[in-house]
Amino acid sequence: MAHVHADASFVPLGIAVLTVSDTRGYDRDGSGDLLSERLTEAGHALVERRIVPDDVYRIRAAVSQWVVRDDIQVILVNGGTGFTPRDTTPEALLPLFDKAVEGYGELFRHLSLASIGTSTIQSRAVGGVANRTLIFAMPGSPKACSTAWDGILAEQLDARTGPCNFVAMVLPEQPACAPREGKAAPDHGQGVRA
């Protein structure tokens, strides 16, 4: 269970939101709206928001443009994670990852089991790191976005969450994981950004 570091302060991150859909515009993008509202309510900055069609290369192009920007530390992608022929978000993102965050997809499916039962196995939620930028993809429903944000991302993108969170990885000037009493801090490969 996560704990709040008594001596840690909240650190706002720059976050981009990408909706993957052939049919939604900004007027009907409830998932993009939900993620944008949750991240700003938490104190982070919504740096940019886009909608792209279900196309491997358009998804990959948008994310590639964002991972080289210094003002974006996190990219939230919603939509395109199912099994229809047009669902290609994981295929677009996986080649970009320097490292995968396998636990994100595992935990997402574990949490969604309570609300959608075994249908959760049809979610290909994936997470990873590219150029020290965190990328988390989730299904395109507002409920799924809420599960991802409320159940996982809100805590892991908060520098006050312990024993570990992702903030030190994307902002190397932040302290790494807090050590447990009498033990050294764990080394999660959170070296300085090149």
PDB file of all heavy atoms in Angstrom, residues 145-159:
ATOM      1  N   CYS A 145     -10.622   5.003 -18.125  1.00  0.00           N
ATOM      2  CA  CYS A 145      -9.699   6.111 -17.841  1.00  0.00           C
ATOM      3  C   CYS A 145      -9.729   6.460 -16.361  1.00  0.00           C
ATOM      4  O   CYS A 145      -8.693   6.764 -15.761  1.00  0.00           O
ATOM      5  CB  CYS A 145     -10.032   7.321 -18.697  1.00  0.00           C
ATOM      6  SG  CYS A 145      -9.704   7.056 -20.456  1.00  0.00           S
ATOM      7  N   SER A 146     -10.911   6.408 -15.769  1.00  0.00           N
ATOM      8  CA  SER A 146     -11.045   6.655 -14.345  1.00  0.00           C
ATOM      9  C   SER A 146     -10.316   5.582 -13.538  1.00  0.00           C
ATOM     10  O   SER A 146      -9.612   5.880 -12.567  1.00  0.00           O
ATOM     11  CB  SER A 146     -12.528   6.694 -13.963  1.00  0.00           C
ATOM     12  OG  SER A 146     -12.686   6.871 -12.580  1.00  0.00           O
ATOM     13  N   THR A 147     -10.452   4.325 -13.946  1.00  0.00           N
ATOM     14  CA  THR A 147      -9.748   3.227 -13.271  1.00  0.00           C
ATOM     15  C   THR A 147      -8.244   3.446 -13.328  1.00  0.00           C
ATOM     16  O   THR A 147      -7.544   3.308 -12.323  1.00  0.00           O
ATOM     17  CB  THR A 147     -10.119   1.869 -13.906  1.00  0.00           C
ATOM     18  OG1 THR A 147     -11.520   1.644 -13.727  1.00  0.00           O
ATOM     19  CG2 THR A 147      -9.327   0.729 -13.298  1.00  0.00           C
ATOM     20  N   ALA A 148      -7.738   3.798 -14.506  1.00  0.00           N
ATOM     21  CA  ALA A 148      -6.296   4.000 -14.663  1.00  0.00           C
ATOM     22  C   ALA A 148      -5.807   5.179 -13.832  1.00  0.00           C
ATOM     23  O   ALA A 148      -4.800   5.076 -13.122  1.00  0.00           O
ATOM     24  CB  ALA A 148      -5.955   4.211 -16.136  1.00  0.00           C
ATOM     25  N   TRP A 149      -6.510   6.315 -13.919  1.00  0.00           N
ATOM     26  CA  TRP A 149      -6.052   7.504 -13.190  1.00  0.00           C
ATOM     27  C   TRP A 149      -6.215   7.331 -11.676  1.00  0.00           C
ATOM     28  O   TRP A 149      -5.258   7.486 -10.922  1.00  0.00           O
ATOM     29  CB  TRP A 149      -6.782   8.767 -13.659  1.00  0.00           C
ATOM     30  CG  TRP A 149      -6.245   9.954 -12.905  1.00  0.00           C
ATOM     31  CD1 TRP A 149      -6.769  10.511 -11.770  1.00  0.00           C
ATOM     32  CD2 TRP A 149      -5.038  10.651 -13.169  1.00  0.00           C
ATOM     33  NE1 TRP A 149      -5.955  11.522 -11.327  1.00  0.00           N
ATOM     34  CE2 TRP A 149      -4.889  11.639 -12.170  1.00  0.00           C
ATOM     35  CE3 TRP A 149      -4.062  10.546 -14.168  1.00  0.00           C
ATOM     36  CZ2 TRP A 149      -3.807  12.520 -12.132  1.00  0.00           C
ATOM     37  CZ3 TRP A 149      -2.986  11.431 -14.133  1.00  0.00           C
ATOM     38  CH2 TRP A 149      -2.868  12.390 -13.121  1.00  0.00           C
ATOM     39  N   ASP A 150      -7.436   7.012 -11.249  1.00  0.00           N
ATOM     40  CA  ASP A 150      -7.720   6.954  -9.816  1.00  0.00           C
ATOM     41  C   ASP A 150      -7.010   5.793  -9.125  1.00  0.00           C
ATOM     42  O   ASP A 150      -6.568   5.921  -7.985  1.00  0.00           O
ATOM     43  CB  ASP A 150      -9.225   6.835  -9.562  1.00  0.00           C
ATOM     44  CG  ASP A 150     -10.004   8.046 -10.073  1.00  0.00           C
ATOM     45  OD1 ASP A 150      -9.402   9.120 -10.249  1.00  0.00           O
ATOM     46  OD2 ASP A 150     -11.222   7.892 -10.289  1.00  0.00           O
ATOM     47  N   GLY A 151      -6.898   4.663  -9.814  1.00  0.00           N
ATOM     48  CA  GLY A 151      -6.353   3.475  -9.183  1.00  0.00           C
ATOM     49  C   GLY A 151      -4.843   3.316  -9.284  1.00  0.00           C
ATOM     50  O   GLY A 151      -4.251   2.553  -8.519  1.00  0.00           O
ATOM     51  N   ILE A 152      -4.212   4.020 -10.229  1.00  0.00           N
ATOM     52  CA  ILE A 152      -2.777   3.819 -10.447  1.00  0.00           C
ATOM     53  C   ILE A 152      -2.023   5.137 -10.612  1.00  0.00           C
ATOM     54  O   ILE A 152      -1.101   5.456  -9.863  1.00  0.00           O
ATOM     55  CB  ILE A 152      -2.523   2.949 -11.705  1.00  0.00           C
ATOM     56  CG1 ILE A 152      -3.296   1.631 -11.633  1.00  0.00           C
ATOM     57  CG2 ILE A 152      -1.027   2.712 -11.911  1.00  0.00           C
ATOM     58  CD1 ILE A 152      -3.327   0.859 -12.936  1.00  0.00           C
ATOM     59  N   LEU A 153      -2.415   5.905 -11.622  1.00  0.00           N
ATOM     60  CA  LEU A 153      -1.588   7.028 -12.056  1.00  0.00           C
ATOM     61  C   LEU A 153      -1.557   8.201 -11.088  1.00  0.00           C
ATOM     62  O   LEU A 153      -0.509   8.833 -10.922  1.00  0.00           O
ATOM     63  CB  LEU A 153      -2.038   7.488 -13.446  1.00  0.00           C
ATOM     64  CG  LEU A 153      -1.942   6.395 -14.520  1.00  0.00           C
ATOM     65  CD1 LEU A 153      -2.533   6.888 -15.829  1.00  0.00           C
ATOM     66  CD2 LEU A 153      -0.509   5.934 -14.699  1.00  0.00           C
ATOM     67  N   ALA A 154      -2.673   8.504 -10.446  1.00  0.00           N
ATOM     68  CA  ALA A 154      -2.687   9.643  -9.525  1.00  0.00           C
ATOM     69  C   ALA A 154      -1.609   9.494  -8.463  1.00  0.00           C
ATOM     70  O   ALA A 154      -0.891  10.453  -8.152  1.00  0.00           O
ATOM     71  CB  ALA A 154      -4.066   9.798  -8.884  1.00  0.00           C
ATOM     72  N   GLU A 155      -1.444   8.291  -7.916  1.00  0.00           N
ATOM     73  CA  GLU A 155      -0.422   8.073  -6.890  1.00  0.00           C
ATOM     74  C   GLU A 155       0.974   7.992  -7.481  1.00  0.00           C
ATOM     75  O   GLU A 155       1.916   8.573  -6.946  1.00  0.00           O
ATOM     76  CB  GLU A 155      -0.709   6.779  -6.116  1.00  0.00           C
ATOM     77  CG  GLU A 155      -1.847   6.897  -5.136  1.00  0.00           C
ATOM     78  CD  GLU A 155      -2.004   5.651  -4.272  1.00  0.00           C
ATOM     79  OE1 GLU A 155      -1.292   4.642  -4.513  1.00  0.00           O
ATOM     80  OE2 GLU A 155      -2.847   5.689  -3.366  1.00  0.00           O
ATOM     81  N   GLN A 156       1.130   7.279  -8.578  1.00  0.00           N
ATOM     82  CA  GLN A 156       2.465   7.083  -9.129  1.00  0.00           C
ATOM     83  C   GLN A 156       3.053   8.340  -9.772  1.00  0.00           C
ATOM     84  O   GLN A 156       4.254   8.425  -9.982  1.00  0.00           O
ATOM     85  CB  GLN A 156       2.470   5.921 -10.122  1.00  0.00           C
ATOM     86  CG  GLN A 156       2.520   4.574  -9.437  1.00  0.00           C
ATOM     87  CD  GLN A 156       3.779   4.422  -8.607  1.00  0.00           C
ATOM     88  OE1 GLN A 156       4.886   4.465  -9.124  1.00  0.00           O
ATOM     89  NE2 GLN A 156       3.612   4.258  -7.304  1.00  0.00           N
ATOM     90  N   LEU A 157       2.201   9.319 -10.061  1.00  0.00           N
ATOM     91  CA  LEU A 157       2.676  10.599 -10.606  1.00  0.00           C
ATOM     92  C   LEU A 157       2.723  11.677  -9.529  1.00  0.00           C
ATOM     93  O   LEU A 157       2.799  12.861  -9.831  1.00  0.00           O
ATOM     94  CB  LEU A 157       1.793  11.035 -11.784  1.00  0.00           C
ATOM     95  CG  LEU A 157       1.738  10.043 -12.953  1.00  0.00           C
ATOM     96  CD1 LEU A 157       0.808  10.553 -14.041  1.00  0.00           C
ATOM     97  CD2 LEU A 157       3.125   9.740 -13.509  1.00  0.00           C
ATOM     98  N   ASP A 158       2.704  11.260  -8.279  1.00  0.00           N
ATOM     99  CA  ASP A 158       2.747  12.178  -7.141  1.00  0.00           C
ATOM    100  C   ASP A 158       4.030  11.902  -6.351  1.00  0.00           C
ATOM    101  O   ASP A 158       4.227  10.801  -5.835  1.00  0.00           O
ATOM    102  CB  ASP A 158       1.516  11.958  -6.259  1.00  0.00           C
ATOM    103  CG  ASP A 158       1.364  13.000  -5.163  1.00  0.00           C
ATOM    104  OD1 ASP A 158       2.388  13.581  -4.724  1.00  0.00           O
ATOM    105  OD2 ASP A 158       0.220  13.223  -4.736  1.00  0.00           O
ATOM    106  N   ALA A 159       4.888  12.909  -6.262  1.00  0.00           N
ATOM    107  CA  ALA A 159       6.180  12.767  -5.587  1.00  0.00           C
ATOM    108  C   ALA A 159       6.043  12.421  -4.114  1.00  0.00           C
ATOM    109  O   ALA A 159       7.003  11.964  -3.498  1.00  0.00           O
ATOM    110  CB  ALA A 159       6.994  14.054  -5.750  1.00  0.00           C
TER     111      ALA A 159
END
